[in-house]
Amino acid sequence: MRRRRTAADGFSLTAGLVLIVFGTVLLLERAGELDLSFAVMAPIAFGAIGAILLASGLSRRG
Amino acid sequence: MDTTSETNVMPPPSPGPKRFERSSTDRIIGGVCGGLGRYFNIDPTIVRIAFVALALIGGVGFVVYAAALLLVPLDEEAPPAELSTRDRAIAAGLIIALALAAVTLGSFGLVGGFALVPLWVLLIVGVMVYSFAEGRRPGESPRRVVVRAVQGFALMIACIALAIGSFFASGLGGGVVVAGLVIAAGAGLIAAAFVGGARWLVLPALAIALPLAFVSAAGIDLDGGFGQRNEHPATVTELRDSYRIGMGELVVDLRDLELPPGDHALSVDVGAGRALVLVPENVCVASKATVGMGAVGVFDRDSGGIDVDWNDNRRSLKRAPRLVVDGKIGLGVLEVRHRDDGHRGPHWNDRNRDAGERNRACATSA
């Protein structure tokens, strides 16, 4: 009997990837490998929020 | 069997106590006002006006209506339960806590009049938070909307608490751990995506990530203590070359010092707050500073905003001592003045100009 596969939740996947990238940038900054001012950090943070909102808007749940 | 004779013998059933039930026929939202009007035998419109008035006076009417909507049954046959016992308990507890908080704060005079009017705004925010966290609308029935709004609001409060904790943890040197938690939350979301998802995890993850990003961008270092610190060296030997505070106000008062001619370095470091350096009028001040978010004001000159990079290099007049101030402020203000007029907050530069504050001991050209 063939097992039915459940589709992955697109929003959770996208948000998870965004958080991992964002968290890695923050980790490198705190570890002293990067030195980010507001001019750089603000676009990164708003980009992350925007990507999550976009994924939320595009995802559909029953 | 003669049922007629039995009916004649049995006493008429007792009407029982009068019950307060929401009206299913006279309702605009949940039938609370209609039910109250029927219970007290008054026009429901009067009850509705009273509820609106109570809602405008501290939002009490809104809390009472929400509680009645949740706890008072409809007058028709009860439909199948649409909320779990746990949901009802959480919502009831939060509503009672909210009401108690309003009453307690009101008794201390902290919340009065219209301060709680935006309760309906909070509930709308709660619905939005719930909708985002769950990825679906809270439902059509008023009771369900109220319960979900309260849950969403509670989630928002929890996220605010997390954000505050993240800010202090990051500022006190725990940024690496916080960043690790953000990455772990992201990994958890990806793993959960294959077993139905865990959308709610996004909000707490952002609640800890964004304050960390702010602390990192501003360069906030809260190490060094909290509160008010006044440094007042009386002699040159007591003058240290570095002063710092984590959060609060740092005042370095050098007005009683007789600084000899030559350069004297002074480093001032404030994580979040205000640094005020008071200098004698015969001292020339050269200054440089970095401010993540805030402002620098040296006598009649100032600069503010984000990523402020201040450099005001001055030469002293002949035989005048020169103080070389090196400021590092994460979030806040660095001021250098001759007099402390006791004023705090913005527009200090205007007052400095009015008070004739100048860097007079310096040569005219920088």
Side-chain angles (χ1 to χ4, degrees):
Chain A
M1 187 176 169
R2 201 171 162 186
R3 182 178 291 176
R4 189 181 166 192
R5 293 184 61 184
T6 308
D9 177 24
F11 170 77
S12 296
L13 271 179
T14 310
L17 282 173
V18 168
L19 283 172
I20 287 177
V21 173
F22 192 28
T24 304
V25 170
L26 294 173
L27 184 67
L28 291 173
E29 207 282 343
R30 288 285 92 182
E33 299 297 323
L34 297 174
D35 185 13
L36 303 179
S37 62
F38 273 108
V40 179
M41 187 66 86
I44 293 174
F46 285 122
I49 294 171
I52 290 172
L53 287 176
L54 196 61
S56 174
L58 292 174
S59 70
R60 293 284 182 271
R61 279 184 59 168
Chain B
M1 196 174 188
D2 188 359
T3 53
T4 311
S5 60
E6 275 188 350
T7 306
N8 290 338
V9 172
M10 290 283 286
S14 158
K18 198 174 177 183
R19 281 173 58 88
F20 169 40
E21 295 170 323
R22 291 185 289 125
S23 172
S24 58
T25 53
D26 186 4
R27 60 190 292 180
I28 292 180
I29 300 175
V32 173
C33 295
L36 274 173
R38 186 176 55 198
Y39 187 82
F40 292 110
N41 198 24
I42 56 177
D43 187 347
T45 306
I46 297 173
V47 183
R48 290 187 181 107
I49 291 171
F51 261 98
V52 170
L54 279 174
L56 292 175
I57 303 172
V60 176
F62 199 87
V63 174
V64 172
Y65 194 96
L69 196 61
L70 186 74
L71 302 172
V72 178
L74 265 175
D75 56 3
E76 60 190 7
E77 188 177 344
E82 46 183 36
L83 294 170
S84 69
T85 308
R86 176 175 155 275
D87 284 343
R88 291 169 67 97
I90 290 172
L94 287 170
I95 286 175
I96 291 168
L98 199 61
L100 285 175
V103 171
T104 308
L105 292 174
S107 67
F108 284 106
L110 297 176
V111 178
F114 294 88
L116 281 179
V117 169
L119 263 181
W120 61 273
V121 176
L122 299 181
L123 282 179
I124 290 174
V125 171
V127 168
M128 292 172 67
V129 171
Y130 174 84
S131 301
F132 179 79
E134 289 294 318
R136 56 192 161 96
R137 295 173 66 178
E140 299 299 329
S141 88
R143 187 184 298 190
R144 181 176 286 272
V145 171
V146 170
V147 171
R148 298 308 190 198
V150 173
Q151 288 178 338
F153 186 70
L155 177 61
M156 189 181 71
I157 296 293
C159 287
I160 291 172
L162 272 177
I164 293 171
S166 170
F167 175 84
F168 282 100
S170 305
L172 289 168
V176 171
V177 176
V178 177
L181 288 175
V182 176
I183 295 172
L189 266 169
I190 290 177
F194 297 97
V195 289
R199 295 178 63 111
W200 61 270
L201 197 53
V202 173
L203 287 176
L206 284 176
I208 61 173
L210 294 177
L212 170 58
F214 183 81
V215 167
S216 299
I220 296 173
D221 181 0
L222 298 179
D223 195 20
F226 290 55
Q228 168 88 29
R229 183 168 301 165
N230 292 295
E231 301 285 352
H232 198 160
T235 63
V236 175
T237 52
E238 289 180 13
L239 176 64
R240 303 206 309 265
D241 58 0
S242 175
Y243 294 91
R244 70 172 293 137
I245 191 170
M247 178 181 274
E249 185 178 54
L250 171 66
V251 179
V252 182
D253 189 347
L254 309 178
R255 289 175 295 180
D256 291 339
L257 280 184
E258 291 288 340
L259 287 172
D263 283 356
H264 305 272
L266 179 72
S267 172
V268 178
D269 194 337
V270 175
R274 176 176 184 253
L276 173 61
V277 181
L278 297 166
V279 298
E281 299 218 8
N282 69 331
V283 173
C284 168
V285 176
S287 55
K288 61 176 182 175
T290 57
V291 179
M293 179 179 282
V296 181
V298 180
F299 304 116
D300 56 342
R301 297 186 177 192
D302 68 277
S303 177
I306 58 172
D307 294 336
V308 177
D309 195 2
W310 172 270
N311 195 345
D312 186 22
N313 191 19
R314 302 292 194 98
R315 286 185 298 108
S316 59
L317 294 172
K318 266 187 178 178
R319 303 186 59 78
R322 188 173 81 142
L323 186 69
V324 182
V325 177
D326 184 0
K328 184 175 183 301
I329 311 292
L331 172 67
V333 173
L334 168 65
E335 292 180 60
V336 180
R337 308 169 64 154
H338 291 310
R339 288 179 291 277
D340 182 12
D341 60 3
H343 286 92
R344 302 290 181 262
H347 309 303
W348 73 84
N349 51 326
D350 296 336
R351 293 198 303 275
N352 283 356
R353 289 185 191 111
D354 293 344
E357 293 259 0
R358 299 282 187 279
N359 214 348
R360 289 193 181 87
C362 295
T364 308
S365 57

